[in-house]
């Protein structure tokens, strides 16, 4: 908003007079801006004026937490469309008949629920130790090269769904794969998988283009390598999922029985 005309500016003879005229003008416009109702941060608008994107970025997990905990009625996230821009499918949290009663129902009826054993969770550093060396025999290490391309910090944790454990920190010799009998009939990570924290979708699971996956402050996210039954995830506040007060679950899409048996047999054959 103009607060003086060019002639008034030209009448100011000293540089300091011109500076203070500009200062007063900017101050007046800024005060008017603050009292307005645009709704975005000043720096976001400044980027918009300079040709940037006129919106504020929010992490998926922050949106989930806000709509689940900070509004009435509380909302329940049923699905995240992890494309270039996230899409969300919500319902009221009280309408649990649409997603979960004693087992997945409604929108989640096509999934099996798997409780994650915290004893089977390893740190990213432990996974690196096991799989970083050449020709590691551990089947979950087949995803190591692909995972290393997207992991940019040490703040992630690894869950190998098809193993009883990854073994101790220094060797793979005691890593126990589930037997064929144990795998038969259990959900195998071979299709759509959602990672839950306390029965709420953990966060974003699409492409990690911002290079913050596993970095400090990167928030709650996850990636799934379904061929290896491997999940790498981070938590909202960089807490350790093995010792925090949260429980973790998987929603694993139900394949046909024939494809399920075939998938589990291929896993035991590796």
């Amino acid at each position: 908003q103009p607060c003086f005309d060019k002639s008034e500016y030209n009448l100011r003879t000293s540089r300091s007079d011109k500076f203070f005229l500009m200062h007063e003008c900017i101050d007046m416009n800024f005060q008017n801006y603050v009292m307005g109702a645009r709704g975005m941060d000043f720096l976001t608008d400044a980027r918009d004026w300079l040709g940037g994107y006129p919106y504020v970025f929010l992490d998926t997990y922050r949106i989930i937490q806000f709509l689940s905990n900070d509004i009435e009625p509380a909302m329940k996230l049923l699905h995240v469309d992890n494309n270039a821009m996230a899409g969300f499918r919500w319902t009221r949290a009280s309408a649990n008949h649409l997603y979960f009663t004693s087992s997945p129902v409604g929108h989640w009826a096509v999934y099996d629920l798997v409780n994650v054993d915290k004893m089977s969770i390893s740190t990213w550093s432990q996974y690196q130790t096991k799989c970083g060396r050449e020709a590691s025999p551990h089947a979950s290490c087949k995803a190591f090269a692909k995972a290393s391309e997207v992991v940019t910090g040490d703040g992630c944790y690894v869950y190998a769904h098809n193993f009883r454990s990854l073994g101790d920190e220094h060797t793979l010799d005691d890593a126990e794969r589930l037997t064929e009998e144990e795998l038969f009939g259990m959900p195998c990570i071979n299709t759509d998988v959602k990672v839950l924290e306390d029965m709420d979708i953990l966060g974003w699971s699409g492409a990690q283009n911002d290079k913050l996956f596993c970095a400090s402050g990167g928030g709650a996210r996850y990636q799934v390598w379904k061929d290896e039954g491997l999940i790498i995830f981070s938590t909202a506040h960089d807490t350790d999922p093995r010792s925090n007060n949260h429980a973790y679950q998987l929603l694993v899409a139900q394949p046909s029985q024939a494809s399920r048996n075939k998938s589990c047999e291929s896993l035991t054959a590796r």
Side-chain angles (χ1 to χ4, degrees):
Q1 173 183 336
C3 46
F4 58 84
D5 57 32
K6 188 173 182 179
S7 61
E8 182 180 0
Y9 179 81
N10 291 334
L11 287 174
R12 304 293 179 106
T13 56
S14 69
R15 294 179 65 182
S16 61
D17 284 346
K18 290 181 178 181
F19 174 81
F20 283 113
L21 181 66
M22 294 294 296
H23 178 274
E24 291 173 358
C25 179
I26 293 173
D27 183 65
M28 183 189 74
N29 277 282
F30 186 75
Q31 292 298 326
N32 291 338
Y33 172 88
V34 170
M35 296 174 63
R38 181 172 170 87
M40 290 198 296
D41 181 79
F42 172 74
L43 291 179
T44 299
D45 279 335
R47 285 193 294 269
D48 180 18
W49 301 330
L50 294 172
Y53 292 112
Y55 50 78
V56 178
F57 289 94
L58 285 177
D59 291 311
T60 298
Y61 80 94
R62 293 187 185 277
I63 297 172
I64 296 171
Q65 291 181 344
F66 175 74
L67 290 176
S68 300
N69 303 320
D70 298 334
I71 67 168
E72 290 292 341
M75 303 298 289
K76 181 73 174 183
L77 181 61
L78 302 175
H79 176 74
V80 180
D81 186 7
N82 295 288
N83 290 315
M85 295 185 68
F88 301 89
R89 184 187 306 154
W90 299 88
T91 189
R92 289 193 179 193
S94 58
N96 60 310
H97 62 283
L98 295 178
Y99 57 94
F100 188 86
T101 51
S102 57
S103 61
V105 295
H107 290 275
W108 286 358
V110 296
Y111 295 93
D112 288 318
L113 181 69
V114 177
N115 291 308
V116 173
D117 179 4
K118 290 193 173 191
M119 297 299 292
S120 297
I121 298 174
S122 300
T123 66
W124 169 252
S125 296
Q126 289 171 331
Y127 183 64
Q128 280 184 305
T129 299
K130 296 174 186 304
C131 302
R133 63 179 182 266
E134 186 176 355
S136 171
H138 202 272
S140 69
C141 291
K142 293 181 179 180
F144 177 70
K146 293 181 285 186
S148 297
E149 292 177 359
V150 299
V151 171
T152 56
D154 295 324
C156 268
Y157 295 85
V158 180
Y159 175 65
H161 176 58
N162 304 307
F163 291 84
R164 191 174 293 111
S165 80
L166 283 175
D168 66 29
E169 187 171 349
H170 304 292
T171 178
L172 294 167
D173 295 338
D174 61 344
E176 295 181 89
R177 176 179 289 281
L178 295 177
T179 65
E180 183 173 348
E181 290 74 20
E182 290 172 312
L183 278 170
F184 185 82
M186 73 175 291
C188 295
I189 296 180
N190 63 340
T191 49
D192 179 29
V193 177
K194 303 181 192 300
V195 178
L196 311 181
E197 181 183 77
D198 300 329
M199 293 300 294
D200 286 322
I201 293 175
L202 182 69
W204 176 259
S205 64
Q208 309 291 341
N209 294 327
D210 62 0
K211 307 300 182 183
L212 291 177
F213 185 44
C214 305
S216 178
R221 315 168 181 221
Y222 66 95
Q223 292 275 276
V224 178
W225 284 268
K226 55 191 177 183
D227 290 338
E228 293 81 12
L230 190 76
I231 295 170
I232 298 178
F233 68 101
S234 57
T235 59
H237 304 291
D238 298 329
T239 59
D240 188 334
R242 299 170 299 177
S243 57
N244 62 19
N245 293 321
H246 299 288
Y248 295 87
Q249 304 85 21
L250 307 178
L251 285 177
V252 184
Q254 301 169 351
S256 67
Q257 189 60 45
S259 64
R260 178 186 304 219
N261 292 346
K262 180 179 179 181
S263 172
C264 289
E265 288 168 2
S266 66
L267 286 169
T268 57
R270 290 179 186 170

